[in-house]
Amino acid sequence: MQTEPFARGAMRECFRMKKLSKFVYQDDWKKASNYVAKRYMKEEKRSTYFEDVKLQMDAKLWGEDYNKKDPPKKVDIIQTYIIEMNEREDSPLYCVEHLIDGDYIKYNSNSGYVTDIKRLTPQAFSHFTFERSAHQLIVVDVQGVGDLYTDPQIHTFGAQEYGEANLGAKGMALFFSSHICSPLCEFLGLVEFDLSRKELEHLKSKKWKSEEPSGTVVSTSSANSLDVPSEGQLETVGEAFRRISQSNWDVLAEPGGSVPESPMTPLTPFSGSGTSLSSLNEKKQRQKYDSVGDDQEEGSFSLDHKDTAAAVEVAKQQIKKLQDIADKQREGLAILGMVHFEMANYNLIGRFSEDQKTPDNESAMFHLEKATECDNLKALELLSKMYLQIPHDEFSELSVSDTPSNQCRGFDYLYRAAELGDREAMVRVAEALETGIGLGERPEEDAGFTAPQR
C-alpha cells in the first residue's frame, strides 16, 4: 500500500494497494490485483468500518433484487471487506475493494445532486429501492463505472443505522426533488412521486448530456507510474478514479525493489445490452405463469374432516399475512406523507429554487396537501389551522383567504386529525358540531352533514 492517498472524499481518503492471492505461494506480483484501501480522515470507532461494509453489502442485495425485474441493464455493487494492519501502530482498519477501471461517474448523491449525464438506470435503481422496501429506505449516492457501483449510501425512514450520512425522510425528499420518472421507472412498475407544477417545469428544463457507458472491468494491471498528488493537489474520488482509469497503475514495491506487470482481468460488462424498453414490455406482457396445481387431478383439493383443522390453520396464516401486508402498506403511506412534509419544508426555505433562497410557497402548499392525503397528522393540523384562520407558528409564511368554503375545508382537515387521535382536534370538532360555528358553508345536498367524506 502506498503511504500517501491519491484521492479524498468528504469523509475518507483512498490509497492505492496491491494484494497477492492467498493461492499464490510465492511473491509473484504478476498475479497481484489492484485494490483501493479507504480509511477515515478523522478518528472513527472501529465498528464504523464494519457498518460501512454492511451498508455496501445491503445495497448489493437490493441490486440483486432490482436485477430480478429483468431491466435493460443490470446493476451490481462491488464487494468490499475489512483488513487490519496489525503490524502498524494501533492496528488501523481499512475498507478494501477492487479498483473499478473505466470512466468513474457520481450519478447522484445523498443530498439531491444528479449528474447532467443522462442515464436512466441509476435513478431508476434508487427509486426502485424506495418502492420495493415499502418506503422504508432508499439507496442513493450511486456512483461507479457503468452500472458497477461503489460507496452507496442508504437513507432509512428512522435515520437509524448506516452512519451520519443517513438523512432519513429528509434525504428521501432530497432525492425526489431531483427525480422525474422515466420510461424505465414505468417498466419497473414504480409509482410516480407527485411533484408540483413548478418543480416539474424546473426538472424538465434541465439540460442533459448523453452518455454511452463503456464496459466495466476490474483492474489488475501495474505498469506505468502515476504521480501521487501533493497535499494541496488531492483530487476528489471521482476525479482520481477517472484519471487512474485512463492509464495503468504504478508499481507499488518495497524500497529498492520492483513489481512486474500483471494483465487486466475484465469483468462481464453491465452495460450496452441494446435491449429496448418496448421489447421488454412486450416480453413482459407475453409471460405466462403456471397456476398452482395445474397438474393436479380434479377434486384433489377436496378436504376430508380430518383435514379441517389443518385447513383452518392455513386460513389463519393467510389472514395474518394479509394483515401484515395491510400494516406494511399503512406504514409505507405514513412514510410517504412524511417525505411530502419534508418537501414542503424544503420548498418553504427555498432549498430547490435557483438561488436556494427564494421560497416556493406554491410547491410547499402542494406537498402539504399531498401529505394530508397520506394521513400525515402534522400536515392535517397545519392546514386545518390555516383554513380556519387559527394562528400557527410552523409554516407561518403560508396563508389562505377566509371564505366559507375554506372554513368548510379547514373543518374537514380538523375532523380527519381527530379521527387519527389528535386530542386538540377532537375538542375543536366537538365544539364545532355542538355550536355549528366553524363548519363552513356546504352545498345543499350536504346539509345533513355529520362527518366529512374522505
Side-chain angles (χ1 to χ4, degrees):
M1 182 189 297
Q2 287 197 324
T3 57
E4 296 296 327
F6 70 87
R8 280 181 177 161
M11 302 173 70
R12 298 192 294 184
E13 54 190 2
C14 304
F15 297 83
R16 289 176 288 191
M17 167 184 161
K18 292 190 73 68
K19 178 178 175 294
L20 284 169
S21 169
K22 62 182 179 180
F23 300 108
V24 176
Y25 299 102
Q26 297 178 345
D27 291 346
D28 186 358
W29 289 96
K30 288 183 179 180
K31 298 180 180 179
S33 300
N34 289 323
Y35 282 77
V36 178
K38 304 174 184 179
R39 76 175 180 191
Y40 282 92
M41 291 180 282
K42 295 181 179 179
E43 186 175 352
E44 288 284 349
K45 295 183 295 185
R46 293 172 74 85
S47 61
T48 303
Y49 288 85
F50 293 92
E51 290 168 5
D52 288 343
V53 172
K54 179 181 182 298
L55 186 158
Q56 191 148 327
M57 293 303 95
D58 285 351
K60 186 179 181 71
L61 292 176
W62 285 109
E64 293 173 0
D65 208 14
Y66 173 85
N67 292 338
K68 291 176 184 177
K69 290 288 186 179
D70 196 23
K73 296 180 180 179
K74 304 293 192 293
V75 305
D76 195 12
I77 287 84
I78 199 165
Q79 186 86 23
T80 185
Y81 52 90
I82 301 291
I83 62 170
E84 180 180 23
M85 299 292 191
N86 52 21
E87 294 182 358
R88 296 187 181 183
E89 185 180 356
D90 297 329
S91 300
L93 300 178
Y94 291 81
C95 289
V96 174
E97 62 188 48
H98 271 285
L99 168 72
I100 310 175
D101 195 31
D103 192 15
Y104 191 97
I105 300 171
K106 190 178 184 73
Y107 296 110
N108 63 38
S109 74
N110 71 327
S111 58
Y113 162 82
V114 178
T115 179
D116 58 357
I117 294 174
K118 190 172 184 179
R119 288 289 317 281
L120 303 184
T121 300
Q123 291 292 94
F125 169 61
S126 292
H127 190 177
F128 169 83
T129 59
F130 181 74
E131 292 294 335
R132 187 69 179 85
S133 67
H135 307 163
Q136 294 288 334
L137 59 81
I138 185 170
V139 179
V140 292
D141 220 357
V142 177
Q143 55 192 308
V145 179
D147 291 311
L148 180 57
Y149 306 143
T150 184
D151 275 351
Q153 177 59 48
I154 298 178
H155 296 315
T156 60
F157 172 64
Q160 303 296 321
E161 296 185 290
Y162 305 129
E164 296 178 357
N166 177 0
L167 304 181
K170 287 182 171 63
M172 296 174 180
L174 289 170
F175 169 79
F176 284 109
S177 71
S178 57
H179 175 64
I180 187 167
C181 278
S182 66
L184 181 53
C185 293
E186 183 180 354
F187 167 77
L188 294 169
L190 306 180
V191 178
E192 187 172 0
F193 187 85
D194 292 312
L195 295 173
S196 71
R197 176 186 58 83
K198 283 188 177 180
E199 290 169 327
L200 285 171
E201 287 176 356
H202 173 70
L203 288 178
K204 288 178 180 177
S205 67
K206 184 177 175 65
K207 294 182 179 179
W208 301 95
K209 296 177 184 176
S210 60
E211 186 239 10
E212 191 64 33
S214 58
T216 301
V217 296
V218 169
S219 171
T220 55
S221 66
S222 57
N224 301 330
S225 66
L226 294 170
D227 295 329
V228 178
S230 64
E231 179 71 22
Q233 298 174 321
L234 283 171
E235 303 158 287
T236 65
V237 175
E239 290 170 343
F241 274 89
R242 192 172 295 112
R243 175 175 59 83
I244 290 171
S245 69
Q246 294 170 354
S247 58
N248 294 321
W249 277 45
D250 59 324
V251 172
L252 300 180
E254 298 177 0
S258 62
V259 180
E261 297 180 20
S262 58
M264 299 281 286
T265 304
L267 283 180
T268 304
F270 286 93
S271 57
S273 65
T275 308
S276 68
L277 284 173
S278 59
S279 63
L280 279 171
N281 275 313
E282 289 173 7
K283 176 184 174 183
K284 206 172 184 182
Q285 291 170 1
R286 289 197 304 268
Q287 286 179 339
K288 293 183 179 179
Y289 299 94
D290 295 331
S291 60
V292 177
D294 280 346
D295 56 346
Q296 301 288 333
E297 295 180 1
E298 186 177 356
S300 62
F301 289 103
S302 61
L303 294 174
D304 296 327
H305 290 294
K306 63 182 180 181
D307 297 324
T308 303
V312 170
E313 186 61 32
V314 169
K316 286 181 179 178
Q317 292 175 1
Q318 292 299 323
I319 291 171
K320 188 179 184 305
K321 277 186 179 179
L322 291 173
Q323 289 174 339
D324 290 343
I325 291 171
D327 290 342
K328 186 171 284 189
Q329 287 175 338
R330 280 192 292 270
E331 188 177 359
L333 186 67
I335 295 171
L336 186 62
M338 184 53 70
V339 173
H340 276 294
F341 190 85
E342 295 296 347
M343 288 282 284
N345 263 317
Y346 278 127
N347 276 295
L348 200 62
I349 63 174
R351 173 67 170 78
F352 306 136
S353 61
E354 292 292 340
D355 60 2
Q356 295 196 342
K357 294 179 181 178
T358 306
D360 183 356
N361 291 349
E362 178 187 327
S363 296
M365 185 63 81
F366 173 87
H367 287 290
L368 279 180
E369 298 278 2
K370 288 297 177 182
T372 64
E373 293 176 13
C374 302
D375 286 342
N376 182 274
L377 188 56
K378 275 189 173 182
L380 286 167
E381 291 172 348
L382 276 168
L383 286 182
S384 69
K385 290 179 179 179
M386 285 183 203
Y387 280 92
L388 292 172
Q389 307 303 313
I390 300 172
H392 53 282
D393 295 329
E394 202 171 1
F395 286 79
S396 57
E397 299 86 347
L398 300 180
S399 63
V400 296
S401 56
D402 187 8
T403 64
S405 60
N406 279 345
Q407 287 278 334
C408 177
R409 192 170 181 182
F411 181 79
D412 288 351
Y413 288 130
L414 191 66
Y415 193 96
R416 289 174 57 191
E419 284 186 316
L420 292 172
D422 183 70
R423 294 186 65 84
E424 182 184 352
M426 291 178 188
V427 173
R428 290 185 181 277
V429 166
E431 290 175 350
L433 291 176
E434 183 178 359
T435 63
I437 300 172
L439 294 176
E441 292 184 3
R442 297 178 180 277
E444 291 183 5
E445 59 269 21
D446 289 341
F449 167 81
T450 55
Q453 300 300 311
R454 297 179 59 183

